[in-house]
Amino acid sequence: MKRRNGFRASALLTAMMFSTASLAADIEHQTDYSIALAGLPLARATFHTQLVKNRYTISGTLNSAGLVDIISRTSGQTRVSGVIANDHLRASQYSMSYRSGRKSRAISVTFRNGNVVRASMTPKRNPLPKNWVPVTSRDMRNVLDPLSGLIIPGKSRVCPNTLPIFDGESRLDIKLSPKGTRSFKTRGFEGEVIVCGVRFVPKAGYRKGREDVEYLRRLETMEVWFARAEAVDVYAPVYVRIPTKLGPVTVSATRFGD
Protein backbone atom coordinates (compact mmCIF):
# COMPACT_ATOMS: atom_id res chain seq x y z
CA MET A 1 0.00 0.00 0.00
CA LYS A 2 1.41 3.38 -0.97
CA ARG A 3 2.18 6.00 1.66
CA ARG A 4 -0.38 8.45 0.24
CA ASN A 5 -3.12 5.80 0.46
CA GLY A 6 -2.41 5.26 4.16
CA PHE A 7 -2.55 9.00 4.75
CA ARG A 8 -5.84 9.28 2.83
CA ALA A 9 -7.37 6.50 4.88
CA SER A 10 -6.24 8.02 8.16
CA ALA A 11 -7.52 11.44 7.12
CA LEU A 12 -10.94 9.99 6.33
CA LEU A 13 -11.24 8.30 9.70
CA THR A 14 -9.81 11.28 11.51
CA ALA A 15 -12.51 13.44 9.94
CA MET A 16 -15.06 11.32 11.75
CA MET A 17 -13.50 11.96 15.19
CA PHE A 18 -14.24 15.02 17.33
CA SER A 19 -14.65 16.08 20.92
CA THR A 20 -17.79 15.62 23.03
CA ALA A 21 -18.93 17.13 26.29
CA SER A 22 -22.16 17.77 28.20
CA LEU A 23 -25.02 18.03 25.71
CA ALA A 24 -27.27 19.53 28.37
CA ALA A 25 -25.50 22.89 28.60
CA ASP A 26 -24.05 25.56 26.34
CA ILE A 27 -20.37 24.75 26.07
CA GLU A 28 -17.25 25.01 23.94
CA HIS A 29 -14.79 22.15 23.75
CA GLN A 30 -11.59 21.20 21.91
CA THR A 31 -9.95 17.86 21.16
CA ASP A 32 -6.58 17.28 19.48
CA TYR A 33 -5.36 14.21 17.61
CA SER A 34 -1.98 13.04 16.33
CA ILE A 35 -1.65 10.82 13.25
CA ALA A 36 1.41 8.65 12.74
CA LEU A 37 2.73 5.95 10.43
CA ALA A 38 4.86 3.33 12.21
CA GLY A 39 5.50 5.94 14.91
CA LEU A 40 6.49 8.70 12.47
CA PRO A 41 4.26 11.81 12.46
CA LEU A 42 1.94 12.24 9.48
CA ALA A 43 -0.50 14.92 10.59
CA ARG A 44 -2.19 16.78 13.43
CA ALA A 45 -5.89 17.50 13.77
CA THR A 46 -7.88 19.82 16.02
CA PHE A 47 -11.66 19.85 16.46
CA HIS A 48 -13.67 22.53 18.22
CA THR A 49 -17.24 21.84 19.35
CA GLN A 50 -19.93 24.38 20.29
CA LEU A 51 -23.14 23.15 21.89
CA VAL A 52 -26.16 25.40 22.37
CA LYS A 53 -29.21 23.64 23.80
CA ASN A 54 -30.00 20.84 21.31
CA ARG A 55 -27.88 22.23 18.46
CA TYR A 56 -24.22 21.57 17.77
CA THR A 57 -21.49 22.98 15.53
CA ILE A 58 -18.15 21.28 14.99
CA SER A 59 -15.22 22.79 13.11
CA GLY A 60 -11.92 21.05 12.47
CA THR A 61 -8.55 21.44 10.84
CA LEU A 62 -6.04 18.87 9.60
CA ASN A 63 -2.41 19.67 8.75
CA SER A 64 0.33 17.34 7.55
CA ALA A 65 3.47 16.97 9.64
CA GLY A 66 6.92 15.41 9.47
CA LEU A 67 8.13 13.99 6.15
CA VAL A 68 4.66 14.22 4.61
CA ASP A 69 4.72 17.97 5.13
CA ILE A 70 8.07 18.19 3.34
CA ILE A 71 7.07 15.96 0.39
CA SER A 72 3.55 17.30 -0.20
CA ARG A 73 1.97 19.71 2.25
CA THR A 74 -1.63 18.82 3.01
CA SER A 75 -4.23 20.85 4.89
CA GLY A 76 -7.96 20.61 5.34
CA GLN A 77 -10.90 22.28 7.04
CA THR A 78 -14.29 20.85 7.88
CA ARG A 79 -17.48 22.03 9.57
CA VAL A 80 -20.83 20.51 10.45
CA SER A 81 -23.94 21.79 12.23
CA GLY A 82 -27.14 20.07 13.22
CA VAL A 83 -29.36 18.87 16.03
CA ILE A 84 -28.88 16.27 18.77
CA ALA A 85 -31.30 13.37 18.20
CA ASN A 86 -31.95 10.32 20.35
CA ASP A 87 -30.03 7.85 18.18
CA HIS A 88 -27.32 10.00 16.54
CA LEU A 89 -26.23 13.56 16.00
CA ARG A 90 -28.20 14.58 12.91
CA ALA A 91 -26.46 17.05 10.61
CA SER A 92 -28.21 19.79 8.67
CA GLN A 93 -25.10 21.18 6.91
CA TYR A 94 -21.67 19.63 6.32
CA SER A 95 -18.68 21.03 4.44
CA MET A 96 -15.09 19.99 3.84
CA SER A 97 -12.22 21.45 1.85
CA TYR A 98 -8.62 20.33 1.48
CA ARG A 99 -5.45 21.08 -0.43
CA SER A 100 -2.64 18.58 -1.08
CA GLY A 101 0.23 20.01 -3.11
CA ARG A 102 -1.40 21.57 -6.18
CA LYS A 103 -4.64 19.61 -5.81
CA SER A 104 -7.66 20.98 -3.94
CA ARG A 105 -11.30 20.08 -3.47
CA ALA A 106 -14.35 21.50 -1.68
CA ILE A 107 -17.49 19.55 -0.72
CA SER A 108 -20.82 20.77 0.67
CA VAL A 109 -23.81 18.67 1.75
CA THR A 110 -27.26 19.67 3.03
CA PHE A 111 -29.24 17.12 5.06
CA ARG A 112 -32.87 16.97 6.11
CA ASN A 113 -34.03 14.33 8.60
CA GLY A 114 -31.03 12.16 7.78
CA ASN A 115 -31.51 12.37 4.01
CA VAL A 116 -29.26 14.25 1.57
CA VAL A 117 -31.17 17.01 -0.22
CA ARG A 118 -28.21 18.73 -1.87
CA ALA A 119 -24.56 17.86 -2.48
CA SER A 120 -21.87 19.64 -4.45
CA MET A 121 -18.17 19.13 -5.13
CA THR A 122 -15.66 21.54 -6.69
CA PRO A 123 -13.93 20.69 -8.94
CA LYS A 124 -16.15 17.89 -10.20
CA ARG A 125 -14.76 14.57 -11.38
CA ASN A 126 -15.34 15.01 -15.10
CA PRO A 127 -15.41 12.77 -16.95
CA LEU A 128 -16.07 9.94 -14.53
CA PRO A 129 -13.97 6.80 -15.10
CA LYS A 130 -15.69 3.80 -16.69
CA ASN A 131 -15.33 1.75 -13.49
CA TRP A 132 -16.99 4.44 -11.33
CA VAL A 133 -19.80 3.20 -9.04
CA PRO A 134 -22.42 6.00 -9.12
CA VAL A 135 -24.29 7.28 -6.07
CA THR A 136 -28.05 6.90 -6.44
CA SER A 137 -30.86 8.69 -4.62
CA ARG A 138 -31.41 5.54 -2.54
CA ASP A 139 -27.77 5.69 -1.37
CA MET A 140 -28.39 9.13 0.16
CA ARG A 141 -31.29 8.18 2.40
CA ASN A 142 -30.92 7.79 6.17
CA VAL A 143 -27.19 8.56 6.23
CA LEU A 144 -24.75 10.23 8.60
CA ASP A 145 -22.02 12.74 7.88
CA PRO A 146 -18.42 11.65 8.61
CA LEU A 147 -17.97 14.10 11.51
CA SER A 148 -21.11 13.35 13.53
CA GLY A 149 -21.35 9.71 12.53
CA LEU A 150 -19.08 8.22 15.20
CA ILE A 151 -20.69 9.89 18.19
CA ILE A 152 -22.84 7.20 19.79
CA PRO A 153 -25.36 7.76 22.63
CA GLY A 154 -24.73 5.61 25.67
CA LYS A 155 -28.14 3.95 25.42
CA SER A 156 -27.32 2.71 21.92
CA ARG A 157 -24.93 -0.11 21.10
CA VAL A 158 -21.40 1.07 20.43
CA CYS A 159 -20.51 -2.20 18.74
CA PRO A 160 -21.91 -4.17 17.05
CA ASN A 161 -23.20 -1.30 14.95
CA THR A 162 -23.37 -0.25 11.30
CA LEU A 163 -22.87 3.43 10.47
CA PRO A 164 -24.10 4.57 7.02
CA ILE A 165 -21.75 7.42 6.01
CA PHE A 166 -22.02 9.88 3.11
CA ASP A 167 -19.11 12.32 2.84
CA GLY A 168 -20.34 14.37 -0.13
CA GLU A 169 -18.93 12.06 -2.79
CA SER A 170 -18.77 8.50 -1.46
CA ARG A 171 -21.29 6.31 0.32
CA LEU A 172 -19.84 3.70 2.67
CA ASP A 173 -20.77 1.60 5.68
CA ILE A 174 -18.57 1.48 8.77
CA LYS A 175 -19.29 -1.85 10.44
CA LEU A 176 -18.28 -2.08 14.11
CA SER A 177 -17.83 -5.38 15.95
CA PRO A 178 -17.04 -5.91 19.67
CA LYS A 179 -13.43 -6.66 20.71
CA GLY A 180 -13.55 -6.06 24.46
CA THR A 181 -12.14 -3.18 26.49
CA ARG A 182 -8.75 -1.54 27.04
CA SER A 183 -7.21 1.11 29.28
CA PHE A 184 -6.50 4.51 27.75
CA LYS A 185 -4.96 7.67 29.14
CA THR A 186 -4.56 11.12 27.63
CA ARG A 187 -4.94 14.74 28.70
CA GLY A 188 -8.47 15.04 30.09
CA PHE A 189 -9.27 11.31 30.21
CA GLU A 190 -8.09 8.18 31.97
CA GLY A 191 -10.08 4.97 32.14
CA GLU A 192 -11.57 2.04 30.30
CA VAL A 193 -12.56 2.32 26.64
CA ILE A 194 -14.63 0.12 24.35
CA VAL A 195 -12.67 -1.52 21.53
CA CYS A 196 -14.42 -2.20 18.22
CA GLY A 197 -13.19 -3.96 15.14
CA VAL A 198 -13.84 -1.94 11.97
CA ARG A 199 -14.85 -3.11 8.50
CA PHE A 200 -14.90 -0.64 5.62
CA VAL A 201 -17.68 -1.41 3.13
CA PRO A 202 -17.74 0.82 0.02
CA LYS A 203 -21.23 1.22 -1.43
CA ALA A 204 -21.05 3.93 -4.12
CA GLY A 205 -19.12 6.98 -5.22
CA TYR A 206 -15.75 5.30 -5.80
CA ARG A 207 -13.68 3.77 -8.59
CA LYS A 208 -14.17 0.01 -8.53
CA GLY A 209 -10.87 -1.84 -8.23
CA ARG A 210 -8.98 1.18 -6.86
CA GLU A 211 -5.99 0.02 -4.80
CA ASP A 212 -6.59 1.91 -1.56
CA VAL A 213 -10.34 1.22 -1.54
CA GLU A 214 -9.83 -2.50 -2.15
CA TYR A 215 -7.13 -2.64 0.53
CA LEU A 216 -9.47 -1.12 3.13
CA ARG A 217 -12.37 -3.30 1.99
CA ARG A 218 -10.34 -6.49 2.56
CA LEU A 219 -8.76 -5.36 5.82
CA GLU A 220 -10.08 -7.17 8.90
CA THR A 221 -7.72 -5.85 11.58
CA MET A 222 -8.67 -2.16 11.89
CA GLU A 223 -9.71 -0.96 15.34
CA VAL A 224 -11.40 2.08 16.87
CA TRP A 225 -11.55 2.76 20.61
CA PHE A 226 -14.47 4.67 22.14
CA ALA A 227 -14.23 6.63 25.38
CA ARG A 228 -17.21 7.75 27.41
CA ALA A 229 -17.79 11.44 28.03
CA GLU A 230 -18.63 11.36 31.73
CA ALA A 231 -20.82 14.48 31.69
CA VAL A 232 -23.38 12.69 29.50
CA ASP A 233 -23.95 9.12 28.32
CA VAL A 234 -22.12 9.49 24.98
CA TYR A 235 -19.17 7.63 23.44
CA ALA A 236 -16.61 9.07 21.01
CA PRO A 237 -13.39 7.74 19.39
CA VAL A 238 -10.02 8.33 21.05
CA TYR A 239 -7.87 5.88 19.07
CA VAL A 240 -7.84 4.32 15.59
CA ARG A 241 -5.39 1.75 14.20
CA ILE A 242 -5.12 0.95 10.47
CA PRO A 243 -2.50 -1.66 9.50
CA THR A 244 -0.60 -0.96 6.26
CA LYS A 245 2.32 -2.55 4.44
CA LEU A 246 4.57 0.24 5.72
CA GLY A 247 3.42 -0.14 9.33
CA PRO A 248 0.32 0.85 11.28
CA VAL A 249 -1.34 4.22 10.80
CA THR A 250 -2.55 5.36 14.22
CA VAL A 251 -4.85 8.23 15.18
CA SER A 252 -4.66 9.02 18.89
CA ALA A 253 -6.33 11.68 21.00
CA THR A 254 -3.72 13.84 22.72
CA ARG A 255 -6.44 15.89 24.39
CA PHE A 256 -9.97 14.74 25.21
CA GLY A 257 -12.47 16.52 27.43
CA ASP A 258 -10.00 18.85 29.18
Side-chain angles (χ1 to χ4, degrees):
M1 183 179 182
K2 297 179 180 179
R3 182 187 299 256
R4 64 176 182 271
N5 293 338
F7 181 74
R8 186 183 297 114
S10 65
L12 172 63
L13 291 176
T14 304
M16 300 176 183
M17 302 168 61
F18 65 91
S19 61
T20 58
S22 174
L23 303 183
D26 301 353
I27 196 167
E28 295 186 5
H29 191 74
Q30 179 173 312
T31 298
D32 302 328
Y33 296 92
S34 65
I35 307 169
L37 170 63
L40 300 175
L42 287 181
R44 294 181 295 270
T46 295
F47 292 90
H48 184 249
T49 303
Q50 291 180 306
L51 301 165
V52 180
K53 296 182 179 179
N54 70 328
R55 297 197 63 84
Y56 69 92
T57 300
I58 305 138
S59 55
T61 60
L62 175 72
N63 291 283
S64 55
L67 290 176
V68 172
D69 200 37
I70 297 173
I71 297 170
S72 179
R73 180 168 295 180
T74 299
S75 63
Q77 298 81 39
T78 187
R79 180 182 173 89
V80 64
S81 58
V83 298
I84 302 162
N86 291 329
D87 54 347
H88 288 97
L89 275 65
R90 292 287 179 179
S92 56
Q93 191 69 38
Y94 164 79
S95 64
M96 184 274 292
S97 62
Y98 73 88
R99 176 176 292 276
S100 181
R102 296 182 178 180
K103 295 182 179 180
S104 64
R105 178 148 288 156
I107 288 175
S108 178
V109 185
T110 302
F111 297 85
R112 184 179 299 132
N113 298 323
N115 301 320
V116 177
V117 296
R118 187 179 298 107
S120 64
M121 183 174 67
T122 306
K124 295 181 179 180
R125 295 187 186 274
N126 192 20
L128 292 175
K130 293 182 180 180
N131 57 347
W132 187 260
V133 181
V135 176
T136 67
S137 58
R138 179 176 295 182
D139 292 321
M140 296 188 288
R141 298 174 186 168
N142 194 28
V143 292
L144 304 168
D145 72 277
L147 275 183
S148 312
L150 284 179
I151 299 302
I152 301 174
K155 293 181 180 179
S156 301
R157 293 182 303 180
V158 176
C159 50
N161 203 347
T162 298
L163 306 173
I165 303 295
F166 180 70
D167 66 2
E169 180 182 30
S170 302
R171 169 70 176 84
L172 60 116
D173 281 346
I174 300 294
K175 292 184 176 292
L176 305 177
S177 58
K179 294 188 69 175
T181 60
R182 295 286 295 270
S183 296
F184 184 81
K185 180 180 180 180
T186 191
R187 177 181 172 186
F189 178 88
E190 181 177 2
E192 190 174 80
V193 298
I194 295 175
V195 179
C196 299
V198 180
R199 292 298 306 273
F200 173 90
V201 183
K203 308 291 285 188
Y206 70 99
R207 193 169 68 242
K208 192 172 183 179
R210 178 170 163 166
E211 180 184 352
D212 56 345
V213 174
E214 287 302 307
Y215 177 85
L216 288 174
R217 183 183 63 81
R218 294 191 300 265
L219 197 59
E220 298 182 356
T221 52
M222 288 188 290
E223 288 186 356
V224 57
W225 300 5
F226 288 88
R228 181 182 179 183
E230 291 295 338
V232 65
D233 199 10
V234 172
Y235 291 89
V238 290
Y239 181 77
V240 173
R241 186 179 186 275
I242 309 168
T244 78
K245 295 178 181 179
L246 298 177
V249 171
T250 56
V251 182
S252 186
T254 57
R255 176 180 180 181
F256 183 82
D258 183 22

